[in-house]
Amino acid sequence: MSDRRNRPLSPSTKLAQALRYLDRETGAIVPPIQPSATYARDEDYAVRRSYMYRRDGNPTTEQAEAIIADLEGAVDCMLFSSGMSACMSVIDTLKPGDHVVVPEVMYHGVLQQFQRYAKLHRLEVSYYRPGDLDALRDACRKGKTRLVWVESPNNPDWDVTDIAAAAELAHAAGAKLLTDCTGTPPCATRALELGADFSFHSATKYLNGHSDVTAGALSVRNMDAWWEEIEGHRKLQGTVLQSFDAFLLIRGMRTLTLRYERATLNALRIATHFEGHPQVRKVLYPGLESHPDHDIAKRQTHGMYGGMMSIIVKGDEQAAIDVARFCQLFYPATSLGGVESLIEHRKTVSGEGFKVHPALLRLSIGIEDADDLIADLEQALDRALG
Ligand SMILES: *Cc1c(COP(=O)(O)O)cnc(C)c1O
């Protein structure tokens, strides 16, 4: 018989209980929000905890960080005021002239920063096609490459990169691997366990899940000088996640597993329904068996593919925009990973100079009734293309 007392708790239990939060003094089971901008020293003129000032952090944010670090199997996690500010803390702490290897198609904000820094000669940047490990290997320069960036699944085509294989290639070149698995949060993919050195998530998306916070979560496998530098950068930039947002994030994360499972089930139904549909050229969803990266996606997410997909409609750019306009249930809005479904014409949002099919619509599938969502897309497709 198994020993129940020593049985490790599953991530969904720990999430539901916010890592079994308990205020010893009051018995409260929900963390309080600490809004103070400054902290008084004690009678010996010493700092009481690690906080002197609002930019240092706060106990609410630390609780959220502890939850994510535990979920990721990380030694430490830092929360930032947005996903982009977390990414920028990593990028800005690279040394001038460092070589980095990044996907040629990825979240457009991060890509723009790499392109900008390459133009300013602050970084040397090489690109690889997402999911293409040979191209990734060729792009690495032994002893020179400092960081390999993997986004998986990849915006907005949802290609999947084998993280364990990418980690081996990065490490063979003497580089660190950072993964952006915003589309598959740690209840599905734990990148550090697969060999990544940094695991990043835009917590704005699935981790919070309610479209009312922007936040970035950066977790690390081993502490080192670079991590300390990132910590210092966050403090000086003032980009630590603030306490009210951390409170909302903790509340959101309690239902992460439920929300993510439901989004996956809905997305599987929708992708299957529209694959081969007369008005749809292509459905891009790693959960479909026809997807070229299906096997690695299945392994890497344990079958929890999530709610992100794209459809390429039969018709031109305007027809795709019309489908997004004509939806009555899907909100025509950017972002992803919330409980409500969103539709977005990606080319309009990512702008010129970004490789994206002009008739591609990115769908973030929420937790509504799948039949309602299917009916909404059907009527929009009919009106735009029928
Ligand atoms: C949204 C997003 C980001 C940026 O995060 P913000 O919280 O919007 O700043 C980075 N990577 C991916 C994959 C994203 O979806």
Side-chain angles (χ1 to χ4, degrees), residues 39 47-53 56-59 62 235:
Y39 294 84
V47 173
R48 288 164 208 257
R49 262 176 78 173
S50 48
Y51 324 118
M52 267 190 338
Y53 191 55
D56 299 338
N58 66 79
E62 278 189 2
K235 199 177 280 193

Side-chain angles (χ1 to χ4, degrees), residues 28-196:
I29 64 166
V30 170
I33 302 167
Q34 175 50 264
S36 194
T38 188
Y39 294 84
R41 289 163 178 265
D42 68 12
E43 49 280 12
D44 299 321
Y45 207 66
V47 173
R48 288 164 208 257
R49 262 176 78 173
S50 48
Y51 324 118
M52 267 190 338
Y53 191 55
R54 197 177 170 103
R55 279 191 277 107
D56 299 338
N58 66 79
T60 325
T61 297
E62 278 189 2
Q63 181 65 16
E65 289 169 339
I67 293 168
I68 297 169
D70 179 77
L71 197 57
E72 293 268 35
V75 296
D76 200 14
C77 168
M78 276 190 260
L79 277 165
F80 294 75
S81 55
S82 71
M84 279 310 297
S85 59
C87 294
M88 286 314 298
S89 272
V90 176
I91 296 170
D92 275 342
T93 48
L94 287 160
K95 306 271 176 285
D98 273 349
H99 179 244
V100 296
V101 172
V102 308
E104 61 185 17
V105 180
M106 68 192 291
Y107 182 75
H108 64 110
V110 178
L111 185 61
Q112 269 171 26
Q113 287 297 347
F114 278 120
Q115 288 168 340
R116 207 163 68 85
Y117 277 23
K119 220 182 247 170
L120 293 169
H121 303 290
R122 280 184 59 170
L123 292 174
E124 277 190 53
V125 184
S126 299
Y127 300 92
Y128 67 95
R129 201 174 57 77
D132 185 344
L133 293 169
D134 291 332
L136 196 159
R137 183 190 294 108
D138 291 345
C140 286
R141 294 185 210 155
K142 207 174 162 119
K144 175 93 174 96
T145 306
R146 185 101 188 282
L147 182 69
V148 174
W149 195 286
V150 163
E151 184 174 303
S152 185
N154 232 96
N155 248 293
D157 299 325
W158 314 110
D159 296 310
V160 179
T161 301
D162 185 331
I163 293 170
E168 271 186 36
L169 294 175
H171 295 158
K176 289 201 187 249
L177 178 74
L178 182 148
T179 56
D180 178 348
C181 293
T182 295
T184 53
C187 59
T189 300
R190 272 186 285 283
L192 299 180
E193 287 174 7
L194 296 170

Side-chain angles (χ1 to χ4, degrees), residues 363-377:
L363 308 181
S364 172
I365 304 299
I367 64 166
E368 303 97 330
D369 183 88
D371 289 327
D372 288 345
L373 296 173
I374 289 170
D376 189 36
L377 284 170

